[in-house]
Structure formats: C-alpha cells, structure tokens
C-alpha cells in the first residue's frame, strides 16, 4: 500500500476517534488500532497526536474559508451573499461532518504555534461572515444590527447542525441552509409590531 | 464532613472533569482525585460514572424545563414569551455553564433507561419552545415559518453560548438573550425585498 494511502488511513482513524471519543479521550494506540497498524508505523506519518489534530482542523478551516471567498468579492446583494455563505458552510459540514465537529469542538486542545495558526484562521472566517453582514447594514439593505451577534446567530445555527442533521434525510444541505437563511433574513414576526432595534 | 457535602463534592468534581475532558476521557479515579477522596469513598455516593452523568444531566434538564413552564401557560404575545424563554435558557447556561455543556454534549453517553428518560426531557423542552412559535404562527403574530427550524435556530444560537460567552464581560445573560431575540424576531433585512416564505 502506498505511503500516502497509509497516512490517509491514520487521518481517517483519528477523525473517527476524535469525533467519537474526543481528542483527550483518544490515545495514539487507539488510532493505530483503528487504522489497523502498529503505533510505530503510525509515527512514520505523524510525530504526535496533536499533529494529527492540527492536520484535521487545518484542512477543515481551509474548506470553510475557501467556500466564502467568492462571496466576499462579489457585488451581489448582502442577502444573497449571506445565503450563499450559509450554503457553503453547510456543504462543508455535511460532507465532512466528523472533521467539522473536531474543528468546532476539539481545536482548543492545540497548543503553541498550532493553536495560534488555527485561532487566526477561525477569526478570519468569522470576520468574513461579519463583513458580509456589515456590508448589508452599510448598504441599507439590513437593519442596523450588531454584526457580531448576527454572525453568532448564523454560525451557531449552522454549527449545531451536526447534532441533529441526518444526511439520509429529506433535506440536503442547501435546503437546510435556505431554511435558516430565510429565518435569519426575515425573522419570525409579521412586522406588525415594528423592529425594536 | 456531612455525607451530603461529600456527594456534592463528587458531583462538582464530575462536572468540572466531564466538561473539561469529556465523559469518555474521565475515569472514576480522576473524579475521586479531583474531589480529594479515595475511589472507594466515592462509590458510597455513586455506583458508577454513568450515574453521576445522569444526575448532572437530569438536574440541568430540570432547570431548563422549569424555566419555560410559566411562558407555556401565559397569554402574552408569542414574541414576549419567546424572549422570556430565551432569557430563561441563557440564565441556566450562564449560572451552570459546565453542567449545561454536559447536558448538551455528553448526554448521549447515557444508556438504557437513563438515556430514555433524558431523551424524553430534552424532547419535552424542545417541544415547549416549538409550541411557543406555533402559537405565534396560529395567532398570525409570526409568519408561517417552520416551527422546527425556528426552534433549532433559537436553541442553537443559545446553546453555542458556552463557546464564547464571558460571564465577566459587559453583557449579562438577559442582555445577550435580548440581542438574539431581536434578531430572531425581526431578522436582518429592512423588509424591502419582502418575506420569501
């Protein structure tokens, strides 16, 4: 089996175990067992468990960030850009559900430079979503909402997905994103009581 | 030291460890060490690690459910009830942050009857929030939104709180709940493009 293939096996095993048992609840031995190799062979690919975590989280961060790049440079209405960003986010989560859960919940186990690098990527992504919302406010398309809270509302709804989303269910990621986008853009009320902010 | 005090010590130690290392990443020995007692003494209070998890999750579920009880029976406008329910949820999360995180993320480690009991409590709570939203739709106060997705939007935003909320920050739980309630009720748009659902 080619060397690259074995490294992918290690990563797939680490993703499955970190997602199921948590980073701290998983040992290198567990990962070697899951990948069907000896711990010694595993160290040919990764020098530490943390290096595996970094690889997983960095790949996920790259998927999220590259997904919203086109929206940041587009001159579409902010509502359309936000909807497209939400679709992109859910596609990454639906396609790489376990890796996305690790990106969301286990990244804080990283230390030193690795943690700094990922924190910067996470901030850049969150800032990109907030920028779309601020553009909408500045263009008068959105109400003068707090972009930080609006971004938190959007991201938290999307990130919660892994708790309940059934990839085999009736709704694909785009349909789910559209449902949430409609709620976030238009709210619950009929508008009869007027916006309070 | 009174027996009840020691049991509380065990529970506090379990909450701290399950929240920090995850349920599967924590051993009974870890909990005994954290509580400053021998494993044998710990078994005088709890027969298993799972029994501790059940106690933590059941207490948290009780706090969430009792918080929205008054809103379900009230005849206020649905928007006011939803806002009050969101405040109640965030108060529980702010006051019992670690226990709430365990309720959200570790409850699936429960098995058998314990898991069934907690699943029913979680469903009852989620159903209560959905009922408030459906009441708003039926009264014509809310748009004809999908109550399940609206409930998911609300709960996911609130549940994500533990990832970023700083109890020492400028905004208390009620202020944060109001920010989210305003966004959920009124949405981002100025309403110029019209509601799309």
């Amino acid at each position: 089996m080619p060397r690259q293939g074995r490294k992918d096996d290690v990563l797939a095993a680490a993703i499955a175990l970190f997602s199921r048992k948590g980073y701290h609840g998983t040992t290198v031995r567990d990962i070697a067992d899951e990948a069907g190799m000896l711990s010694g062979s595993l160290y040919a690919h990764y020098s530490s468990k943390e290096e595996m975590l970094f690889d997983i989280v960095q790949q996920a961060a790259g998927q999220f960030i590259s997904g919203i790049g086109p929206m940041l440079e587009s001159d579409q209405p902010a509502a359309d850009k936000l909807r497209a960003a939400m679709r992109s986010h859910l596609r990454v989560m639906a396609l790489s559900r376990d890796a996305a859960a690790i990106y969301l919940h286990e990244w804080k186990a990283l230390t030193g430079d690795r943690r700094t690098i990922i924190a910067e990527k996470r901030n850049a992504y969150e800032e990109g979503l907030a920028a779309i919302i601020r553009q909408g406010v500045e263009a008068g398309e959105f109400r003068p909402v707090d972009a930080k809270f609006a971004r938190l509302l959007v991201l938290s709804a999307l990130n919660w997905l892994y708790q309940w989303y059934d990839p085999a269910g009736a709704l694909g990621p785009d349909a789910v994103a559209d449902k949430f986008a409609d709620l976030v853009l238009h709210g619950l009320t009929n508008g009869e009581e007027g916006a309070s902010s």
Side-chain angles (χ1 to χ4, degrees), chain A residues 140-153:
Chain A
E141 189 186 339
F142 291 166
R143 298 186 301 121
V145 296
D146 183 322
K148 180 191 163 193
F149 276 85
R151 181 261 291 168
L152 278 165
L153 179 72

Side-chain angles (χ1 to χ4, degrees), chain A residues 6 9-10 14 17-18 21 24-26 38 43 51 53 55 59 63 79 107 136 139 145 156 160 174 176 185 192 197:
Chain A
R6 300 303 299 277
D9 291 346
V10 174
L17 289 169
F18 292 167
K21 300 171 65 175
H24 288 300
T26 302
L38 299 170
Y43 282 115
E51 198 181 329
L53 178 63
D55 234 17
Q59 284 181 22
Q63 288 180 289
W107 75 277
V145 296
S156 57
W160 199 246
D174 284 2
V176 173
L185 289 169
E192 285 161 15
S197 84

